[in-house]
Every structure is written in structure tokens, then in C-alpha cells.
Amino acid sequence: MDIIRLAIVGYGKIARDQHYPAITGNAAYRLSAVASRNAQVDGIAHFPTLEALLEAETPIDAVALCTPASVRTRQARLAMSHGKHVLLEKPPGATLAEIETLKEEAHRCGVTLFATWHSRHAHCVASARRWLTTRQILRVDIDWKEDVRVWHPGQAWIWEPGGMGVFDPGINALSIATAILPRPFHLVEAQLQVPGNCQTPIAASLDFVDGVNVPIHAEFDFRQADTPPIWDIHVETDDGRLSLTDGGSRMLIDGVLQEEGPDAEYAGLYERFAALIARGQSDVDVAPFRHVADALMLGYRHTVEDFIE
Ligand code: NAP
């Protein structure tokens, strides 16, 4: 297969921390350009915007959109209309409906659209899914708590409409839950804590049930200051308690470690993107995003103290 000439759009935290090493560490790709208003990468062609990159007719095959969701759909449409394959950071957009238009556009333009869920590529997610297929699930508890000041420094967009607040990391937990649990589930109640000066929640408490009334409870919190983050999912079954911890990189049964592995989520994403391009396919699953939309639609809002970074 030909090398995929790729441009990163929006060179912020996740582009620097994860996309750059994953792309440059995969022989299927060449990082050909970066489009970012305020950031550059030594030795790589730079453009302030995606528009400038496309107007310059830079030879690229694909773009990785690492900008906030509120601007990503416009950028994805533009890139696809120029015949470029598109990898979307999570969440895939700011609204559910716009993802439908993107799917149609990808089909019409004959390009690959990949809505990524990096947490689904965590080391133990596939093993957890396999283990659960033969057990009866009794209840699920999700704890996803981190310090917003550490993990989202200077990201004012996270508090704006479309920024999703604590659901920005919380959706990672939902992407794992929707991948490992055998049945679809839906929200029945949500409590949202919203700082007085913000548009999006700083914490959320969610209750779901699945089709056979198994309860699924989730606690998301951005106020985990001075303590390590918690990114854990616990599943009680008729045959023991499965725990996926550290974002899915460790799996325990009844507290006994079964498996653990290195963080290779973005390596997995880029392998999958190359495979989708080779097969001429797209992969756009909105299941985790739908749960967030439901929480914002159904949730009780409680105003809490202002957030000052
Ligand atoms: P970030 O640090 O704010 O980076 C995003 C970059 O996009 C900014 O540095 C900015 O670069 C550009 N940008 C911001 N607003 C823009 C606008 N209105 N128009 C055009 N470009 C704009 O955010 P991030 O943490 O990397 O997150 C980006 C996406 O990745 C989010 O959807 C997030 O959910 C996802 N993600 C983040 C993490 C994480 O741990 N941080 C993990 C996984 C996924 P310029 O100013 O140079 O243009």
C-alpha cells in the first residue's frame, strides 16, 4: 500500500502528546503538514489553517482533525470535498445530526471517515468484552474522575456550548462501556453540576439501565485535585467482579490482576485508519455521543461555584 501522506489540523495537547508519536512511529504514514494557527512542528510544512493548506495544493491523502469538536465538522466537510480521508478526534462533532451529514458526505466523496474512540483501543478492552460475553451481568459502576487543570490546561472551549465539560473525558468511559457490555443501555436519570460561569458540567452522576434492567451507574468529576485520576469500570457478574482500571489498561477479576499493557491506544487508532483507507470503508459509531446528548437533554442542572482556572 502507498504511504498515507497525512496532515494534522489543530496542533494542541492531544496532537502533541499522542498523534505526533503515533503517526511518526507508523511506517504506513508520512506526516506531510501541520495546520495550526499558533503551533508549528520543526521540519514539517506549516499552514495557519486547513483552508490555506488545501489552497496551497499540498500533496496529502488524509487529515487528522485534532481541533475542538465545535469546528471539526466544517473542517471535515472541507477536507472531504477536496478528496481527503478524515480522522476525527473524539467526540466526532458538536451535535448528533451533523455526524449524519458527514457520513453522507464521506460516501458521496468516496473517502474514509473515521470517528475515533481512542479508549476502545486500550490494552484490556477486547479481553474484557470477551470475558463478559459468557457471564451474567448484575450491575456496572463507572468512576471517571480527573483534575481538569492538569488534563485540560487553558482549554476555555471545554466550558462553552459544544465543549461538553466533564463529558469530554467521560465520553471515553462511555466508549468503553458501549464496547464491552453485551446489550445496549439507556439513560434514566442524570444530575449535572454546572459552575455558575460555565455552560457545561464540571461533574455528572448518571443512571442507566439495559434491556433486562441491569443498572449502570456512572460518576464523572473534573474536581479530582491533588490525587491521581480514576478511570475505572467495575462489572459485577454471576462469576466474579471484573474491573477495568487505568482507562482500560489493566484488568482484574475479584481484585486479582489478569492482564495489563502499555498505552498504545493511538497506535491502534492509526492502524485501524490505514486499514479502513485500504478497504475503502468508514467507521462512524455515535453510541457514546448519544448518551452524552441524552444526559444534556434529561439531566437536572445544579449550579455550583464558579470555575476559575
Ligand atoms: P487543545 O489543547 O485545546 O488543542 C486543540 C487545538 O486546536 C488548539 O491548540 C488550537 O491550535 C486549535 N483550535 C482551538 N480552537 C480552534 C478554533 N476555533 N478553530 C481552529 N482551530 C482551533 O485541545 P486537546 O486537548 O488537544 O483536544 C482536542 C480534541 O482532542 C478534543 O475533542 C478532545 O476531546 C480530544 N482529546 C483530548 C485529550 C486530552 O487528554 N487532552 C485526549 C483525547 C482526546 P491553534 O491555536 O494552533 O490553531
Side-chain angles (χ1 to χ4, degrees):
M1 196 178 81
D2 291 340
I3 284 192
I4 301 165
R5 298 163 301 177
L6 186 107
I8 296 179
V9 181
Y11 204 74
K13 185 171 190 322
I14 201 63
R16 268 192 319 274
D17 292 356
Q18 297 287 353
H19 290 261
Y20 179 84
I23 295 161
T24 53
N26 185 330
Y29 294 92
R30 181 186 308 135
L31 181 59
S32 297
V34 166
S36 207
R37 299 161 308 177
N38 300 296
Q40 304 199 16
V41 178
D42 283 349
I44 305 292
H46 174 259
F47 300 86
T49 61
L50 174 64
E51 286 80 353
L53 183 152
L54 294 170
E55 273 164 27
E57 297 187 7
T58 314
I60 56 161
D61 307 298
V63 295
L65 300 183
C66 305
T67 43
S70 55
V71 297
R72 230 183 278 130
T73 290
R74 182 184 56 74
Q75 294 175 328
R77 290 176 69 101
L78 182 65
M80 291 194 292
S81 71
H82 283 73
K84 313 302 178 195
H85 306 293
V86 171
L87 178 150
L88 297 170
E89 247 302 347
K90 46 80 11 182
T95 69
L96 277 165
E98 69 194 47
I99 312 308
E100 296 307 313
T101 64
L102 284 188
K103 276 162 59 176
E104 273 194 26
E105 191 78 352
H107 185 68
R108 199 178 63 74
C109 298
V111 298
T112 290
L113 176 66
F114 182 25
T116 63
W117 299 108
H118 63 87
S119 292
R120 285 183 176 173
H121 293 263
H123 189 80
C124 297
V125 168
S127 302
R129 178 176 45 230
R130 275 193 301 276
W131 193 85
L132 288 170
T133 50
T134 54
R135 270 86 186 178
Q136 191 191 343
I137 296 173
L138 306 176
R139 69 168 287 121
V140 181
D141 287 285
I142 301 172
D143 276 317
W144 222 258
K145 300 174 180 173
E146 64 188 42
D147 184 352
V148 66
R149 292 179 175 85
V150 171
W151 294 94
H152 306 272
Q155 294 177 3
W157 56 264
I158 222 161
W159 304 112
E160 298 295 331
M164 301 204 325
V166 76
F167 288 108
D168 182 78
I171 202 169
N172 297 334
L174 295 171
S175 76
I176 295 178
T178 48
I180 65 172
L181 298 176
R183 285 177 293 274
F185 53 90
H186 67 272
L187 189 73
V188 288
E189 191 176 312
Q191 307 290 334
L192 310 176
Q193 317 282 328
V194 184
N197 60 344
C198 298
Q199 295 294 323
T200 56
I202 196 164
S205 180
L206 311 171
D207 285 293
F208 304 89
V209 290
D210 73 3
V212 295
N213 285 327
V214 170
I216 300 162
H217 181 75
E219 288 290 331
F220 299 159
D221 208 322
F222 253 162
R223 300 165 300 188
Q224 183 82 350
D226 305 323
T227 42
I230 299 172
W231 296 313
D232 297 350
I233 298 178
H234 304 282
V235 187
E236 296 287 348
T237 77
D238 60 342
D239 186 30
R241 182 181 206 236
L242 176 141
S243 299
L244 259 185
T245 65
D246 300 328
S249 62
R250 304 175 86 230
M251 181 171 119
L252 302 90
I253 306 294
D254 292 328
V256 179
L257 184 66
Q258 309 289 310
E259 198 179 321
E260 66 182 327
D263 174 5
E265 296 175 13
Y266 280 77
L269 283 188
Y270 276 96
E271 272 170 33
R272 174 132 181 86
F273 190 37
L276 288 168
I277 291 172
R279 286 190 234 123
Q281 293 173 346
S282 288
D283 176 357
V284 184
D285 175 19
V286 296
F289 196 30
R290 200 185 290 131
H291 289 307
V292 174
D294 283 357
L296 295 173
M297 196 150 50
L298 193 65
Y300 290 92
R301 282 172 168 70
H302 307 276
T303 302
V304 296
E305 68 176 339
D306 286 2
F307 174 77
I308 312 291
E309 186 170 4

